[in-house]
Amino acid sequence: MADILAENLSGKDVMGSDGAELGSLYNITMDLSSGSLNHLVIDPAESLRNTDFEYSDQGRLLVPVERVKAVKDHMIVKR
């Protein structure tokens, strides 16, 4: 995948590989010691139902970065 600046991702819509709207990107977590990215933190869409992803204490979806399949107009993650 090509390099993308984090500032270009903020607020980007996130969709599942099945076409379901998951929400919009709020933040990305990382491991400070290794620099590896951990999770996309997503403000969930109101229409979102039945997801296997974990939720943060603030009610945001935590999607492992390894699930990202594409970043274009939307971010696409494997569901």
Side-chain angles (χ1 to χ4, degrees), residues 50-70:
N50 302 328
T51 182
D52 293 333
F53 296 124
E54 293 180 48
Y55 282 87
S56 71
D57 293 340
Q58 295 78 26
R60 294 186 175 102
L61 288 175
L62 299 174
V63 177
V65 169
E66 298 83 31
R67 304 283 287 267
V68 175
K69 296 300 175 194

Side-chain angles (χ1 to χ4, degrees), residues 6-20:
E7 66 186 38
N8 295 334
L9 297 177
S10 181
K12 189 171 280 288
D13 290 330
V14 182
M15 295 182 69
S17 54
D18 60 356

